[in-house]
Amino acid sequence: MIRAELKRMAEEERQRQERLFCRIMVCAGTPCLSAGALPVLEALREAVAESRLDAGIEAVGTGCMGPCSRGPLVKVRIRGKETVYERVTPELARQILFSVVKGRRPPTVAALPPELPFFARQMKVVLANSGSINPERIEEYAASGGYSALSHALHEMTPEEVCREISTSGLRGRGGAGYPTGVKWNLARKAPGERKYVVANGDEGDPGAYMDRSVMESDPHRVLEGMALAGYAIGAEQGFIYVRGEYYLAGRRLEAAIRDAERKGLLGSRVLGSNFNFRIDIRTGAGAFVCGEETSLMASIMGKRGQPWHRPPYPAQRGLWGSPTLINNVETLAAVPVVIGRGADWFAGVGTARSKGTKVYALSGQVETTGLIEVPMGTTLREVVFEIGGGIPSGKQFKAAQTGGPSGGSIPAEHLDTPLDYESLEAIGTIMGSGGLIIMDETSCMPDVASFFLDFCRDESCGKCVPCRVGTIEMHRLLRRITSGTATMDDLYRLEELCDLVGATSLCGLGMTAPNPVVSTLRYFRAEYEAHIRERRCPAGACSIEPLPPGPEGPELLHAAGAPEEAD
Amino acid sequence: MPVITLSIDDELVSGRADESLLQVIREHGITLPTLCHMEGLSERGGCRLCIVEVEGAARPLPACTTPAREGMVVRTDTERLRRYRRMIVELMLAERNHYCAVCVSIGNCELQRVAAALGVDHVRYEYLSPRLSMDLSHDRFGIDHNRCILCTRCVRVCDEVEGVHTWDISGRGVRSRIIADLNHPWGTSDSCTSCGKCVQVCPTGALFTKGVVVGEMVKDPGMLLRVLEGREKKEWAG
């Protein structure tokens, strides 16, 4: 496919959609599918066929629309005007369709008001197409302007210019560390090497986070286009997208997207008639949190045990099979077509002075509406929780928000007005991380929350280095003693000492950040820890204060599954 | 290779640009404790005992996997490092069963030696005491998982020097176990050549020769370098 053909495909699709009288979109993202979106979509398709209006009405499955706790969601678009319905059943879907067919106003019973702050306060850049295009049709992505950034870059920009554009935009890594993307791209571009690789990190394991999954499910071509742009910029001809094994739907849609893009000449040899060749392959992880760490991820791609190795050398110097490798998070790469398409200055105009653009968050926990949101960097936590999220349910009080998953920390109520950007979050002792945002109300016990995250880290430790392998398990045991009211102040001291050790001496990011939930809850909620220890009570009323059962936590924890271990 | 200059414990020392910090530090006559490092094998950086403080680095760095660089300012023996090393050894001791009194390697054990050198006279953490088995199915050798510290010297020597890769690790985190082939009894392994290199490089009593008394269970850490040197010089080329 050459440039003109891409334009023609986009134009034809736009005209086709304009000819439609009504387009009904059903959210076919994982949360809505598990809430029963598939029968809704089938009911709609049947009803469209029965009404013999297939030419004028189209029912399609799309990616995530946002308010996941209100799913299954259905969006009806009639002549540019959109209405979103929540908790749609197949029966309600049929009613909506028939009222549309008969020219009546669709029922308003389950309709979400258009001025709902959940929608009105967001700014969708990376998620611009999520929930409005069918992720399984390349034509719809092209119609929304897809692949035009790649076409522009290939024909009118040099690789240096693409890198410079990314640098100027101020885009930073959305995987957590916030490393400047332009700097990383330039490092990879300048690194000597015949062969280079681009890797999209789609392994996301934080409890409560699903930003990358939604982007891959809802708009797979955007990720592919971002990867191709990265490949052109650094001189790579091969890309890998590393998808978490649990993300079956994302993997399937990406696979179809790659096939379609290759067929249309948007990937593969001589992309869009240029001299640029780029191939993308999918690698599926088996579901290890540590494989989100870049060196473990590369080990896993190369078919080795998913364990980290020491940096330097950094992947940009020596990565996959010893060649320079550029690793970016899925969300970072998904922002790239926007940066190139709309220009670095436009992108840099959004956000704060040092954190540019928008950020996708997975809002979960004790908040009225949970789901996927995208807001400009610098939006305050209060706006996110109380306006977009609709506040805390059942009239309870906000207690804390955990950002950045197990590697992050908690933000107490006194910091509700903190802008969500890299610097402000760091200043109060937490991180943005990849964008998991768990809201907790007054019934959450902070030592118990810390224990939950430590439990996760302990299970996910790869076992390569001693501080992480044994340190996290000892820390979790101390936390369990605290939450069961059997700890002494000496245990608290030992816990703090272990936090210091594990954070300072672990090999990779998993271990280095494992103590963060403990450190940050101790910083703001130390009194709760002390109440458990000194007064043997849980101020939040969440922990049952009773003596721990004696001895180890049980053989299942310490024994590998299936290993002939027990010696009697 | 170009020669570089760096400062170690306030003394200027020289090294080569392709050396690791550990090599430079040891050449300079400073003892750094290590358990997973072994000359002749690839570096693992897992035991974290050889950590040193490097000026400009936020965290202590393991000397074995950190390349030596021109102008580095390194400290190998600060109070903080000693404390961390003691805690790491305590964690190792708490992880499995390391009762020296009933171990075949008592007196010839690297873990025991490191613990004594660091002054670890008691463990403040809860012993995990997993009940692990011994695999005595091999004719000449045995493996006692209770003594294993997962340094993977056996895995590396088997893969990199003997070239058969009988040993590997299964599981992750604290559930990690050394396994033979696809988790079969060692004695039934088709790949094992019974060369015994793994037994010689094991720092503890986890891998041992059957039928020897405690006093005889002396390992020969120089074996590996002799093998590698002999190969280099083609001593056994037929």
Side-chain angles (χ1 to χ4, degrees), chain A residues 305 310 459-462 465-466 469 474 477 494 497 500 503 505-506 557-559 564-566 568, chain B residues 44-46 48 59-60 65 83-84 87 91 95 124-126 131 133 149 169 171-173 175 177:
Chain A
R305 189 173 157 86
H310 198 267
D459 273 350
E460 293 293 340
S461 168
C462 79
C465 72
V466 179
R469 182 177 76 225
E474 293 286 354
R477 284 177 170 233
R494 251 197 293 264
E497 196 189 46
D500 175 39
T505 61
S506 289
L557 175 66
L558 292 163
H559 294 274
E565 302 283 19
E566 283 286 324
D568 281 315
Chain B
R44 176 168 168 87
R48 316 306 277 179
R59 296 182 167 88
T65 56
R83 183 162 55 87
Y84 283 163
M87 287 171 74
L91 289 175
E95 187 184 8
R124 294 166 301 150
Y125 306 116
E126 200 177 341
R131 287 169 31 186
S133 63
I149 56 166
I169 312 178
R172 69 181 176 211
R175 296 186 188 90
R177 297 287 181 271

Side-chain angles (χ1 to χ4, degrees), chain A residues 38-48 89-91 93-94 97:
Chain A
L38 206 55
V40 172
L41 183 58
E42 278 164 7
L44 279 170
R45 284 196 175 133
E46 276 169 26
V48 170
T89 57
E91 188 44 43
R94 267 186 223 104
L97 183 90

Side-chain angles (χ1 to χ4, degrees), chain B residues 27-80:
Chain B
E27 275 166 22
H28 189 57
I30 295 174
T31 335
L32 267 193
T34 53
L35 283 172
C36 68
H37 163 85
M38 177 160 242
E39 217 168 309
L41 299 181
S42 63
E43 295 299 354
R44 176 168 168 87
C47 73
R48 316 306 277 179
L49 284 172
C50 65
I51 44 170
V52 292
E53 281 178 1
V54 176
E55 218 160 80
R59 296 182 167 88
L61 300 174
C64 62
T65 56
T66 306
R69 293 245 169 74
E70 177 69 38
M72 262 184 171
V73 180
V74 183
R75 272 172 217 292
T76 64
D77 195 28
T78 64
E79 181 45 45
R80 181 178 176 221

